[in-house]
Amino acid sequence: MHRSVAKLLASLLATVAIFSIAAHARQPQPAHAAGASCLPHERDALLAIKQAVNDTDDVLASWQRRHKHCCRWWGVTCSNETGHVIELDFGGTDLDGKISPSLVSLEHLQYLSLSNTNLLGPDGTSLFPEFLCSLSNLRHLDVSATQFSGRLPAQIANISNLEYLDLSDTHFSGRLPAQLANLSNLEYLDLSWTPFSGRLPAQLANLLNLEYLGLSITQFSGRFPAQFFSLSKLEYLDLSGTSMSGILRPQLGNLSNLRQLDLSSMQDTPTSDISWLTHLHFLEYVDMSYMNLSSADVFLVANTSTSLKTLILINCSLPNANQSLTHVNLTKLEELDLSGNYLGHRIETCWFWNLTSIKELGLDSTYLYGPFPDALGGMTSLRQLHFTNNGNLATMTVDLKNLCDLESLTLDGSLESGNLTDFVTKLPHCSSSKLRYLSSDNNNMAGMLPDMVGHFTSLEELSLYNNSISGAIPTGLVNCTSLQSVALGLNQLSGQIPTLPRNLTEVDLSMNSLSGPLPSDFGAPYLTGLSLSSNYITGHVPRPICELKNLVFLDLSKNRFVGEFPRCSSMPNLNFLHLSNNNFSGNFPPMLQNCAQLISLDLAMNEFDGALPVWIGDIANLQFLQLNQNMFYGDIPANITSLVLLQQFSLASNNISGSIPSSLSKLIAMTQKYLPRQDSPWIEDKANILSVVMKHQELKFRGAAVTDLVSIDLSLNHLTGEIPDEITSLNGLLSLNLSRNHLSHKIPVKIGDMKSLESLDLSRNNISGEIPTSLSDLTYLSSLDLSNNNLAGTIPTGSQLDTLYAEDPSMYDGNSRLCGRPLHRNCSCNSPPEHANQQRSENFYDPVMFFYIGITSGFVVGLWLVFCAFLFKRAWRCAYFRLFDELCDKVYVFAVVTWGRINTKTTAS
Ligand SMILES: *[C@@H]1O[C@H](CO)[C@@H](O)[C@H](O)[C@H]1NC(C)=O
Ligand SMILES: *[C@@H]1O[C@H](CO)[C@@H](O)[C@H](O)[C@H]1NC(C)=O
Ligand SMILES: *[C@@H]1O[C@H](CO)[C@@H](O)[C@H](O)[C@H]1NC(C)=O
Ligand SMILES: *[C@@H]1O[C@H](CO)[C@@H](O)[C@H](O)[C@H]1NC(C)=O
Ligand SMILES: *[C@@H]1O[C@H](CO)[C@@H](O)[C@H](O)[C@H]1NC(C)=O
Ligand SMILES: *[C@@H]1O[C@H](CO)[C@@H](O)[C@H](O)[C@H]1NC(C)=O
Ligand SMILES: *[C@@H]1O[C@H](CO)[C@@H](O)[C@H](O)[C@H]1NC(C)=O
Ligand SMILES: *[C@@H]1O[C@H](CO)[C@@H](O)[C@H](O)[C@H]1NC(C)=O
């Protein structure tokens, strides 16, 4: 799936490239205007224009009254013959402020670019300034990527000489004025990435000189006007991402000059007739991704088109029958993408293997299987081969030595087996290796990572997550000086961690068998993410870790670290610090007072002691705080209630005493009113991410619900006093565990207000009084334990409570003065304590408790994985990608689901 995004990005870039070539071609030389000095009234107009703009970057520094030759000013071009200003180019300057009406005085202006500026109209609004429409000599008008919005004024048709009009990436909306059809000289019209809507005016088919028409990502609807098929000069047509229909018609073949055609992600009806393709003799680029072509003979038809360089057919429901071609005509083909089509035949029988012109080959999610053919080794033009998510049925033993241009090879989730040593040995061996991305995650690869990996000095990303790679991390890796990201998690790597390449920013070595102490210097000062979790690393964390000022994620959990975490002065960017399941000791790390960005802190299952700091409330962004199973003592600082974003808090199994702070209502992230979690960018899918056991119930947290895991666990401490009534304001809590303390007094009467509660455990305290009747309002409750307290009186009735009792009849045990249904104890007489029952519940309790804690730490691993996926996948893939956010999120979800699945496996084992 990610491939398709990359593809769309590529086509976007191609568009941009074409546009910039076109723009460039038309852009005359900068003004050298030897003879002609500028005309005084035009100079005045230019100065007035400068006056109105806000030139914070000083790009108009040369625009000075004392520099009389205004034709030499930056961005200005004059005519050699007449001396009039004929060009004004503000493109890409980020200028803001207003466009002065004085611009109209430049009446000989032929070229105006405001592209990529933030300029507004003279009235300070983003409405298109109509005075621009009186510049009747304009041939080239570019307002792309500006703030302009609202309707496009029909007067634009007054600029009758206009040849080039770029309105793309603006906020113009509503219908397109049909008067545009009067611009009979128009050759270039780009309306893409705008919210223009309604029907595309059929009159525009009068623009017989049109060569370029960009309508991508607009909201035009209805049928694509048939009149457009007579635009015989059209060379470029982009309708991608629009919902117009009726484009797939034989008449498309009338556009005989077409060179580039993008119909991807259109919502057109399935078609079997693509014979038009055979008439487009100049066609170089076709993208029909996401169109249903299940009944078309795409390859047979495309094979007649000898001009084709790019053929992109992602997710086209192509038929899975092997479409073999006896003679392949497509000798110019450079890019072929068939990702997302279930082809399901042997790889070697594909028709394209001997096309040595191919530079990019996309075969993700095609379920091709079997060995790659040796012909691959002869495709010496190849730059990218993407073969991910193909169901682990392929093998790759081809010698790729001669593919000197190979930049990117991704095989994730596709190989049945493999030997990494052999695989790396067969990668391109050229004087200068161009390989930048190598990814073979989830592929059952065995063997070792050989030292010669250090030859790949251009490598930026190496990902071999979830294989069976053994042996040590080779010291040669340090010679991969361009390497930025390494993912070797979930393998069988052993030995010590070597010095890392200097430019690394992301390192995942989690879930291996690495041992020994950490190197005192990682050698990678720019690290932003480091996961070493689930290894056998010993010793102290070396102090130089404090120098890693860019660290955002640090996961050292499940190792054998000892001693204090270094007293770094600060780690200003740290979002995640997971140290759980080690033998760390000492106080709550003082460094954390200067880690205001921290979102998740996990110190669980260590030997930390001392009191919790009074400044704990200063870690203002904290959402997840796991301190369970340590030896912290003293009170819970009241300041903790300053953590208004806190949604998960565990202090279970420490030596905490004193009472529960009463200002709990400040913890608004635990209330239902607080819903920003819904906008959380982390996860947007319905897939099962993780299941959490809360006491006796296994709860599946789906999609965004992971972030909705809202809980407090203070069990197994020495807390005294009452359960503060304020706790009932935390109506977003799913789980509350206060068991095994010395809490007394009554259960808060309004306990029924905690509407979200699914699990409530108050067992093994000294709570007395009656069970509030509101308890039966907790309709989501699936686990309840009130056993071993001093509760008395009648048990409230309610079908939910009855069901719970049926599932766990021990939940009221050890409260000898409770009576009424469902206990078989009449409220009028006193029964003796039930020793037998109590004993049973004790045996039962501990393993459950243990399980619960285990699962909680599983949750934290899951959480880290989610963020890791975010860090590794989303960040770089989507950096430039704006409008296909949706697709991007799918990529991201894919990553999350994969990681989630792995996590489930780990938790299960
Ligand atoms: C100019 O831009 C700067 C930076 O964006 C801003 O602070 C300033 O207020 C602007 N001045 C005017 C006159 O708009
Ligand atoms: C104007 O003169 C310059 C310098 O002599 C030259 O490079 C340019 O091509 C001329 N432009 C036109 C439109 O004649
Ligand atoms: C290859 O192209 C030629 C010329 O366009 C055409 O005549 C021939 O039918 C094509 N071959 C196939 C197999 O389509
Ligand atoms: C590819 O191989 C087939 C059969 O081996 C052959 O007919 C065809 O001409 C070859 N195509 C190219 C471009 O080499
Ligand atoms: C992998 O290949 C290397 C070199 O051919 C060989 O020495 C090694 O035993 C192989 N490893 C496995 C696990 O097959
Ligand atoms: C790294 O490269 C240098 C220079 O090519 C070489 O001398 C050295 O042995 C390499 N280091 C390792 C660990 O392979
Ligand atoms: C390492 O990163 C720096 C800064 O990003 C960059 O300038 C440099 O070229 C990189 N070195 C290599 C070998 O890629
Ligand atoms: C408690 O937390 C708040 C908010 O972070 C802070 O302003 C205040 O100083 C803290 N109180 C103490 C006693 O540290």
Side-chain angles (χ1 to χ4, degrees), residues 835-877:
H835 281 293
N837 246 343
Q838 198 173 327
Q839 199 58 44
R840 211 203 71 205
S841 103
E842 179 112 49
N843 289 341
F844 182 57
Y845 195 85
D846 284 334
V848 173
M849 185 71 196
F850 176 77
F851 191 35
Y852 177 31
I853 289 163
I855 292 294
T856 310
S857 67
F859 162 70
V860 171
V861 171
L863 185 72
W864 195 90
L865 290 175
V866 166
F867 273 83
C868 188
F870 182 79
L871 177 74
F872 281 80
K873 305 284 178 197
R874 188 176 167 107
W876 66 268
R877 287 206 172 121

Side-chain angles (χ1 to χ4, degrees), residues 383-396:
R383 292 180 186 165
Q384 301 190 11
L385 173 58
H386 297 286
F387 188 78
T388 66
N389 193 25
N390 284 305
N392 296 94
L393 295 167
T395 53
M396 165 67 94

Side-chain angles (χ1 to χ4, degrees), residues 457 481-484 503 526:
T457 49
T481 46
S482 304
L483 205 56
Q484 293 169 13
N503 266 12
Y526 312 117

Side-chain angles (χ1 to χ4, degrees), residues 418-422 425 446-448 470:
N419 180 328
L420 186 66
T421 322
D422 292 342
T425 315
M448 312 208 296
S470 53

Side-chain angles (χ1 to χ4, degrees), residues 54-56 96-97:
N54 187 355
D55 183 18
T56 36
D96 46 10

